[in-house]
Amino acid sequence: KIMETSMKAFAKDGIKAVRMNSIAKSLNISKRTLYEIYKTKEELLFEGVKTYKALQEQKMEEVARGKSDVMDIILYVYRQKVEEFRKTSPQFYNDLVKYPAIMEYLSADRQRNQRQMVAFLERGVGEGYFRPEINKELVVIAFESFGNFIMERRLYEHYSIGTVFMNIQLVALLGICTMKGIEVLDRFMKSQNP
């Protein structure tokens, strides 16, 4: 309950703006009780980020089992990410980079996921959506770089996240697609209103 309440407040107002006092007050508990469970705001945030990542991974596994092909999964992830960004204040992302231990954890998590992404691209090649001649490791690095660029340049402060993802991530994805993949993405992109 503490973690859920805190993460909602961090996402809404930014991390820096949320005080431990206000978290305790909103939960109707004493500040002392809160500090007995989480020694610092950073510890609370870190546990919240780890819990969120674990839930996200679990949800992705369920989606991957329930969806018929890689394009369904990609478009599901796209919708989820856009919705997540829309619900989260840009200040949350600006504040998050001020926590080196959390950023290090997220970086290590991205590196662990690279192998899964390569396997995912291989599956897409097998399903006929991605070009077989692509260098999958290089494509994974490129997409990670696009994500870093979006965050470092804070593009989400200047454009809707739907517009950012559509013009960077999806346009780049078109470049690795076969005609079969392009047709799916083309239909999806025409249906969106970022």
Side-chain angles (χ1 to χ4, degrees):
K1 180 104 175 160
I2 291 170
M3 193 183 299
E4 184 181 333
T5 300
S6 308
M7 292 306 286
K8 283 181 181 175
F10 293 149
K12 181 178 175 279
D13 300 322
I15 301 160
K16 186 177 179 185
V18 177
R19 304 269 180 240
M20 293 294 265
N21 277 350
S22 62
I23 293 169
K25 191 180 268 189
S26 70
L27 290 165
N28 207 20
I29 61 174
S30 72
K31 188 171 148 184
R32 180 178 175 195
T33 301
L34 180 58
Y35 276 110
E36 284 174 2
I37 299 167
Y38 297 102
K39 305 290 181 244
T40 64
K41 181 164 73 170
E42 182 171 3
E43 181 184 329
L44 173 57
L45 175 64
F46 202 165
E47 289 304 314
V49 167
K50 288 194 283 190
T51 299
Y52 170 78
K53 291 296 290 175
L55 288 172
Q56 197 178 38
E57 284 175 24
Q58 180 184 351
K59 194 184 290 185
M60 277 307 304
E61 286 173 16
E62 291 169 11
V63 168
R65 282 194 303 268
K67 297 290 182 184
S68 58
D69 61 42
V70 296
M71 295 310 278
D72 286 340
I73 296 168
I74 288 171
L75 298 179
Y76 171 83
V77 170
Y78 172 86
R79 288 185 197 98
Q80 292 300 108
K81 287 291 182 190
V82 168
E83 188 59 27
E84 177 185 314
F85 267 86
R86 284 186 180 144
K87 289 180 178 176
T88 306
S89 162
Q91 193 57 49
F92 173 83
Y93 299 108
N94 296 341
D95 291 346
L96 193 61
V97 299
K98 297 170 186 159
Y99 294 90
I102 297 172
M103 295 309 291
E104 190 176 309
Y105 166 79
L106 292 172
S107 176
D109 186 61
R110 278 193 298 274
Q111 289 175 356
R112 280 191 304 272
N113 289 336
Q114 283 184 345
R115 283 189 302 280
Q116 291 174 313
M117 289 304 299
V118 168
F120 184 76
L121 291 172
E122 288 170 356
R123 177 178 164 185
V125 169
E127 292 176 3
Y129 290 110
F130 301 144
R131 299 168 63 96
E133 67 273 13
I134 62 171
N135 181 313
K136 294 158 202 75
E137 290 83 8
L138 194 54
V139 168
V140 169
I141 291 168
F143 275 91
E144 187 175 313
S145 297
F146 297 146
N148 291 339
F149 175 77
I150 290 166
M151 298 310 286
E152 287 168 10
R153 295 291 300 269
R154 299 179 179 182
L155 296 180
Y156 49 83
E157 291 181 343
H158 307 287
Y159 306 95
S160 77
I161 201 63
T163 298
V164 172
F165 285 171
M166 176 87 63
N167 288 276
I168 295 177
Q169 303 286 39
L170 292 186
V171 168
L173 187 59
L174 282 168
I176 67 166
C177 283
T178 61
M179 286 309 294
K180 180 180 174 182
I182 289 170
E183 287 170 11
V184 173
L185 279 181
D186 190 48
R187 276 193 309 273
F188 178 76
M189 290 171 78
K190 285 178 180 173
S191 74
Q192 296 304 292
N193 188 9

